[in-house]
Amino acid sequence: METFQALLARKLAEALAAADLPPTGSVTPATDARFGDYQSNAALVLAKQRGENPAAVAEKILAHLKVGEWCEAPTIAGAGFINFTLRTEIVAARTADLLQDERLGVEKVAPPKRIVIDFGSPNVAKPMHVGHIRSTVLGDALARIASFLGHDVVRDNHIGDWGTQFGMVIYGWKNLLERAALERDPIAELVRIYKGANDRATADPAVREACRQELVKLQAGDAENFGIWKECVALSLREFEAAYKILDVHYDIQRGESFYNDRLADVVERLLKSGLAEISEGAVCVFFRDIPELADKPCITRKRDGGYNYATTDIATVDYRIQDLKADTVWIVTGAPQQLHFRQIFEIARREGYTADFRHITHGSILGDDRKLMKTRSGDNVALRDVLDEAVVRARKIVDEKNPELPDSERGDVAKIIGIGAVKYADLSQYRMTDYIFSWDRMLSFQGNTAPYLQNAYVRIRSIFRKAGEEFVPAKTLTLTAPEEKNLATRLCQFGEVVPTVLNDFRPNILANYLYELANSFHAFYEACPVLKSEEPSRSSRLALCELSARVLAKGLDLLGIKVPEKM
Ligand code: ARG
């Protein structure tokens, strides 16, 4: 189903061609409903380019614009905008079609891409903290949307399960470990022994050397150290899994850093052989002398002591994703501080001849009330587990207050859906690069651009159908008389326009904002138009609008990884 936006853009392009004008400008939803449903800036852009009068250019375009079947006569407004108002019957017919369309008007892209999405990717032997929400939730939403659009998606958890910290962890394990504590709270104990080893190493060079030796032994495949390492990884994975379960996030593969271990030597040899890398002060480096911002920032792929780096692993990861996983597109979701790193990795990949589309999708931070990185009172990172638990507890309180009639057996699930949904939505409704302040009150509010507000709109609709007590039979045609009806229907038809645009710049907040506006349109409609008490043909038509609103809200939230309850 061609969206209205695509259709008008096509008609505009035809008109420009017929008027002997170059293809220019775009068609976008109108910023103000008084000016119609869509607008185009084509005349403005062309007039500026050619030094002509915008209104005159707009007239010229209008003379060739053939949209009579779909729109009222287009008008020229302001400095030369062309405004389109869809004909009500057209919107009504499209809305009726959408009710028959499982995809709710979202077309699959052709040809689909094979996309590896690397997101979340926490480090072993450290607790997942609140900062992990962003990469995990953003990556998951992008993966859901890409899959829905028909792409072939591989979700990869590139966990940090190898590296110099294991020297400390193993030393700590052998000298400081308390088994009972490990059983009670494995990650806390791992953190404790790591810190303990680190403190001792700082104070005592002999301990520092002992830690280094443990690392060397691990890297040489010593059985005892390897066993300890494996146990640490397994304990961490168990904790990660628990978080993913609550968050409803899954991975297709989990290729941690250790997976690439035995490929690193070859990577470095290859880079040296091809001349991409050179030896500098004993280390093997790739220089970027022709890129001004990188000119003094070489990428070290083998340290002077023979050890490999995070970067070496990522170069091997590129090989694996392109050659083994056959990706043509790679998206890596991390915080902004890794920008330089991936700039280097992608540049090396390009020099090695890889033509895949590599994207580093960065995000900002989650801040506390003091506008600094969110921390506990004692200055530690806030554990993810604690945040998710608290979200559910707080949501439960709200459910208890708002809906005392809800059976006890359902409240737990509803609280989970609301609490976790609120945390995710607070993140995804922000532009990903924006730092935002974590606020329970705001994210759990039933007013404003929040998950509970959207979930509540859905629940309201479900209760209309429960009250009706009849099975929903989709109306074959819709009758849109009130302006609120047409407005809601037009918005519903825009779902197919909005979803694909999320991937242009990886902005789920565009979808979130759309859903928020949809819920507003629904509420305006619901205030203005009685549903169950209205006469036919309005009644069926309004029920159809309700049903489609519920479906779009639920699907839109699902694409963001957020569930909807039937009651709340
Ligand atoms: N483990 C890393 C971190 O916590 C993120 C990994 C991102 N992916 C990658 N291929 N390097 O910062």
Side-chain angles (χ1 to χ4, degrees):
M1 231 187 274
E2 190 178 32
T3 63
F4 288 135
Q5 187 174 21
L7 180 132
L8 293 174
R10 185 161 60 77
K11 291 288 155 192
L12 175 72
E14 285 169 17
L16 290 171
D20 253 337
L21 291 165
T24 323
S26 59
V27 174
T28 53
T31 42
D32 185 333
R34 282 173 306 171
F35 298 137
D37 300 313
Y38 290 87
Q39 63 189 32
S40 174
N41 61 352
L44 290 170
V45 178
L46 279 168
K48 191 154 189 206
Q49 282 171 4
R50 304 154 73 95
E52 291 174 21
N53 176 311
V57 179
E59 287 295 350
K60 200 163 159 195
I61 299 173
L62 280 201
H64 292 89
L65 202 52
K66 297 204 178 68
V67 291
E69 217 176 302
W70 294 279
C71 296
E72 311 296 343
T75 56
I76 301 167
F81 276 106
I82 299 174
N83 291 333
F84 302 93
T85 301
L86 295 166
R87 285 178 47 204
T88 306
E89 314 84 79
I90 291 292
V91 176
R94 169 63 59 92
T95 312
D97 288 348
L98 284 183
L99 275 168
Q100 310 290 342
D101 178 11
E102 254 180 36
R103 299 189 53 82
L104 299 167
V106 182
E107 278 192 40
K108 290 197 177 182
V109 290
K113 295 178 193 156
R114 172 114 169 131
I115 311 174
V116 170
I117 310 186
D118 167 341
F119 67 101
S121 305
N123 295 327
V124 158
K126 288 187 192 154
M128 281 180 91
H129 58 82
V130 65
H132 287 107
I133 288 175
R134 291 208 92 168
S135 166
T136 308
V137 164
L138 173 61
D140 177 58
L142 295 174
R144 284 167 185 263
I145 292 166
S147 303
F148 184 56
L149 289 171
H151 293 298
D152 181 11
V153 170
V154 183
R155 300 155 159 260
D156 185 8
N157 201 3
H158 187 89
I159 53 174
D161 62 356
W162 198 252
T164 44
Q165 79 269 28
F166 276 100
M168 305 269 182
V169 174
I170 292 173
Y171 174 92
W173 187 283
K174 290 182 180 173
N175 296 283
L176 302 164
L177 188 71
E178 284 171 24
R179 273 283 164 185
L182 188 72
E183 252 136 63
R184 250 192 336 269
D185 187 343
I187 305 302
E189 181 60 3
L190 290 181
V191 171
R192 193 190 65 82
I193 62 173
Y194 172 80
K195 281 191 182 151
N198 196 27
D199 289 347
R200 281 198 194 178
T202 317
D204 181 351
V207 175
R208 191 171 341 132
E209 180 52 25
C211 291
R212 216 182 63 77
Q213 283 309 320
E214 297 297 1
L215 182 67
V216 171
K217 276 166 72 182
L218 172 67
Q219 286 169 339
D222 172 83
E224 186 191 6
N225 284 12
F226 194 75
I228 295 173
W229 169 77
K230 272 207 107 140
E231 203 172 337
C232 292
V233 172
L235 290 170
S236 288
L237 289 186
R238 222 182 294 155
E239 156 131 343
F240 299 163
E241 287 306 331
Y244 297 142
K245 189 156 176 247
I246 304 176
L247 286 169
D248 188 26
V249 166
H250 84 272
Y251 287 94
D252 300 313
I253 55 172
Q254 194 146 257
R255 302 280 180 267
E257 291 177 21
S258 65
F259 176 82
Y260 299 97
N261 234 346
D262 49 14
R263 303 168 185 231
L264 304 183
D266 286 351
V267 164
V268 173
E269 282 315 312
R270 180 181 82 210
L271 290 171
L272 276 171
K273 221 190 229 149
S274 66
L276 283 181
E278 59 199 78
I279 295 177
S280 169
E281 294 172 37
V284 179
C285 303
V286 178
F287 285 92
F288 309 94
R289 298 191 177 89
D290 53 333
I291 303 176
E293 324 83 88
L294 297 182
D296 60 344
K297 297 186 179 70
C299 175
I300 301 173
T301 60
R302 195 173 68 205
K303 293 184 280 189
R304 209 190 323 198
D305 67 7
Y308 302 104
N309 276 334
Y310 184 55
T312 328
T313 307
D314 265 320
I315 300 170
T317 305
V318 168
D319 296 336
Y320 178 74
R321 288 176 175 163
I322 307 299
Q323 286 166 14
D324 296 56
L325 299 179
K326 311 275 180 235
D328 50 48
T329 303
V330 176
W331 297 346
I332 298 171
V333 187
T334 80
Q338 299 197 31
Q339 245 153 353
L340 169 66
H341 168 75
F342 284 109
R343 187 82 218 277
Q344 294 179 328
I345 299 301
F346 297 169
E347 177 59 22
I348 292 170
R350 199 188 59 77
R351 291 182 185 182
E352 290 212 272
Y354 287 117
T355 53
D357 182 15
F358 295 98
R359 300 294 175 101
H360 183 209
I361 302 168
T362 58
H363 57 77
S365 310
I366 302 182
L367 309 179
D369 285 332
D370 55 0
R371 305 197 128 266
K372 298 204 181 103
L373 271 193
M374 192 176 169
K375 298 271 171 181
T376 62
R377 229 167 271 150
S378 54
D380 292 325
N381 285 326
V382 179
L384 178 63
R385 206 169 39 175
D386 295 343
V387 172
L388 300 180
D389 287 349
E390 187 168 350
V392 178
V393 169
R394 283 178 181 259
R396 172 70 189 240
K397 251 193 225 143
I398 295 174
V399 174
D400 288 345
E401 269 165 36
K402 290 217 179 213
N403 192 352
E405 280 109 77
L406 198 67
D408 216 46
S409 56
E410 291 174 31
R411 280 189 209 189
D413 287 338
V414 173
K416 241 186 250 163
I417 292 175
I418 296 179
I420 302 302
V423 171
K424 288 186 171 190
Y425 191 84
D427 199 281
L428 293 169
S429 57
Q430 298 286 334
Y431 172 48
R432 62 183 161 82
M433 292 303 291
T434 311
D435 296 341
Y436 70 90
I437 295 177
F438 191 93
S439 158
W440 287 118
D441 289 341
R442 192 165 346 122
M443 71 177 73
L444 283 164
S445 166
F446 277 55
Q447 297 305 324
N449 191 5
T450 67
Y453 175 69
L454 299 179
Q455 290 166 327
N456 198 35
Y458 174 85
V459 165
R460 255 202 189 174
I461 301 173
R462 301 313 309 162
S463 82
I464 297 171
F465 284 100
R466 270 197 303 277
K467 218 190 271 160
E470 60 202 79
E471 208 177 305
F472 173 72
V473 190
K476 288 238 161 46
T477 50
L478 268 66
T479 336
L480 308 175
T481 34
E484 290 85 358
E485 290 176 295
K486 187 193 172 198
N487 176 272
L488 175 58
T490 308
R491 263 206 211 294
L492 289 166
C493 293
Q494 286 169 344
F495 189 55
E497 297 169 5
V498 170
V499 175
T501 59
V502 171
L503 298 189
N504 292 348
D505 186 34
F506 311 107
R507 296 172 69 159
N509 61 312
I510 291 180
L511 175 57
N513 282 329
Y514 165 79
L515 294 174
Y516 176 54
E517 279 168 11
L518 173 64
N520 287 338
S521 297
F522 175 77
H523 282 127
F525 152 79
Y526 195 59
E527 299 256 296
C529 308
V531 177
L532 294 176
K533 292 205 175 92
S534 60
E535 302 289 328
E536 290 299 352
S538 273
R539 191 173 184 276
S540 300
S541 176
R542 288 176 182 174
L543 277 172
L545 285 176
C546 288
E547 172 69 18
L548 192 59
S549 298
R551 285 191 203 166
V552 171
L553 280 169
K555 184 65 202 178
L557 286 170
D558 174 62
L559 291 177
L560 297 176
I562 296 170
K563 296 190 176 120
V564 285
E566 289 301 304
K567 298 178 190 166
M568 68 195 269

